[in-house]
Amino acid sequence: MTALGTLEELPLDYRQALTGFNLLPLWPSLRNFLPYGKPIRKTAPVLWRYDDIRPLLLRAGELTPIEKAERRVLVLANPGLGLDAVRATPTIYLGMQLILPGEAAPNHRHTPSAIRFAVEGEGAYTVVEGEKLPMARGDLILTPPKLWHEHGHEGNGPVIWLDALDLPLVHDIEASYCIDGESQPVVNMPDSSQTAYRRAGLLPYTALDAQKRDFPLLRFPWVDVRQALLGYAEGCGPHEPVRLAYINPETGRECLPTLGFSALMLRPGEEVDLPRRSASVVFHVVEGAGEAQIDGTDIRWTEADTFAGPTHADITLRNNNSAAPAFLFSVDDAPMQRSLGIYETFDEPAKA
Ligand code: GTQ
């Protein structure tokens, strides 16, 4: 294979002439953009321990009133991409958000898609387009692109949740912006996870004749997800990952256009090798403790910890408890890769 020409091989006057007209030779950097076989990945396998985040987030509660923050969030930034890149993976933004009793994170809407995954505390809620969605531990709340959303807290003690957004992509394509609004009147009680979409396999009869809706279900209660995982595990083979996808109940497809969400159960003492995928991925621990190996990097995780891995990663997950299952929530960018026609899974470990 012939080595490609370098910049240094080109005469200085030629390089200067190119620069003067805003031109670049492709060939010196062609392999950076089109490496053979596997993308170049700067994303580091990384762990954010909840024990490290929590005291610093509570201190933010003392240092910065909600009015001065709008959203009181510490961003989980991937050091491989540079902390200033404000992202956990190339496409996934993660933040831990704190709300204190009586506080309100005001109503707004924006082009990036977001989700909340409740980590600690009780009594907080998000209102999305007038639908009030309680945030119990482990609940997944969607705030789809351009929908109004605001957060409040009617209980006691701090409430903390994990935010995931497709902000890196939407910002990089210079399409990210926000609009503020008045607080929304609440129109429901309870939310549609308790009414219209109470159970998988059942839909309101009128939905058969109606246009499929983009975001019919905005809250996925953890009690239901956990029970579904335990039930699904009964029918899974010993080496089959016990993993369920969160979906739009009307389309059967992913529930947001860009990010995908799933829940995993690791049986007592279980170790699973996940199939290598082209998507980047984040895991958040709901219950249990164990280890992960991501592209050879060892990670020891426990409850409420969060960890991330790059695209095309080899990932092994292990539950260290031989008596109880462990539960993980996961975010990936498979939907956006699918819409680009580039999502892949691989059977064989990649050749370097
Ligand atoms: O709660 O609406 O972490 O707009 C970043 C941007 C949370 C939110 C974030 C946001 C929000």
Side-chain angles (χ1 to χ4, degrees):
M1 206 180 322
T2 319
L4 298 176
T6 66
L7 208 53
E8 293 70 31
E9 287 165 5
L10 297 169
L12 192 60
D13 70 306
Y14 178 70
R15 284 153 63 185
Q16 284 170 341
L18 291 177
T19 307
F21 293 113
N22 298 319
L23 296 168
L24 280 174
L26 172 63
W27 58 96
S29 53
L30 180 63
R31 283 294 158 252
N32 293 338
F33 294 107
L34 294 172
Y36 289 118
K38 198 174 186 179
I40 295 166
R41 297 153 314 142
K42 295 187 186 145
T43 307
V46 55
L47 169 74
W48 295 271
R49 297 173 63 247
Y50 192 60
D51 280 353
D52 296 330
I53 298 171
R54 189 178 186 277
L56 294 169
L57 191 53
L58 291 176
R59 198 154 159 227
E62 295 161 15
L63 295 170
T64 308
I66 194 78
E67 296 76 19
K68 290 271 184 191
E70 263 184 48
R71 300 316 196 238
R72 195 188 287 108
V73 175
L74 294 178
V75 177
L76 283 57
N78 193 302
L81 298 169
L83 301 188
D84 293 342
V86 190
R87 60 197 67 188
T89 81
T91 54
I92 304 171
Y93 159 103
L94 292 180
M96 279 281 180
Q97 182 161 172
L98 168 70
I99 190 162
L100 295 169
E103 286 185 340
N107 192 30
H108 74 184
R109 61 196 194 96
H110 43 65
T111 48
S113 296
I115 62 105
R116 333 277 149 207
F117 192 84
V119 177
E120 178 183 330
E122 278 166 34
Y125 61 89
T126 295
V127 180
V128 181
E129 294 285 318
E131 189 172 4
K132 186 172 179 175
L133 307 156
M135 300 169 90
R137 211 173 113 62
D139 289 357
L140 171 66
I141 308 280
L142 308 183
T143 59
K146 299 199 276 189
L147 299 194
W148 292 110
H149 57 281
E150 63 192 284
H151 318 299
H153 184 1
E154 299 165 323
N156 303 304
V159 167
I160 295 173
W161 65 77
L162 180 70
D163 289 316
L165 282 80
D166 62 5
L167 184 65
L169 175 85
V170 182
H171 183 259
D172 283 358
I173 65 170
E174 298 187 346
S176 180
Y177 73 97
C178 173
I179 297 171
D180 284 340
E182 295 295 313
S183 188
Q184 306 160 69
V186 171
V187 295
N188 73 294
M189 199 56 113
D191 67 89
S192 71
S193 72
Q194 307 300 326
T195 53
Y197 304 96
R198 183 72 191 88
R199 200 177 197 293
L202 293 174
L203 282 184
Y205 191 71
T206 50
L208 291 175
D209 295 324
Q211 187 94 27
K212 287 182 171 54
R213 295 196 298 151
D214 286 337
F215 311 112
L217 178 60
L218 297 171
R219 173 173 179 252
F220 298 78
W222 178 251
V223 284
D224 297 340
V225 176
R226 191 181 189 281
Q227 205 175 13
L229 283 167
L230 288 165
Y232 181 49
E234 299 281 318
C236 284
H239 300 296
E240 235 177 299
V242 183
R243 188 172 198 171
L244 292 173
Y246 294 80
I247 57 149
N248 173 335
E250 293 194 0
T251 64
R253 299 307 306 165
E254 288 107 334
C255 45
L256 285 179
T258 48
L259 300 178
F261 311 99
S262 56
L264 273 118
M265 181 180 122
L266 302 174
R267 287 161 281 205
E270 182 181 24
E271 175 172 306
V272 284
D273 288 322
L274 297 179
R276 194 165 69 87
R277 293 181 161 95
S278 59
S280 66
V281 66
V282 165
F283 296 95
H284 175 78
V285 185
V286 186
E287 205 178 307
E291 285 159 42
Q293 200 171 55
I294 302 183
D295 280 346
T297 298
D298 292 316
I299 287 170
R300 289 184 77 90
W301 46 264
T302 190
E303 219 158 279
D305 289 353
T306 306
F307 53 101
T311 60
H312 293 253
D314 290 307
I315 301 178
T316 302
L317 299 171
R318 193 162 38 252
N319 176 2
N320 281 351
N321 190 328
S322 57
F327 295 91
L328 303 175
F329 169 68
S330 178
V331 182
D332 63 51
D333 61 2
M336 81 173 80
Q337 289 202 354
R338 272 197 196 94
S339 67
L340 296 173
I342 62 167
Y343 178 73
E344 296 176 87
T345 61
F346 305 89
D347 295 329
E348 296 297 317
K351 297 192 177 57

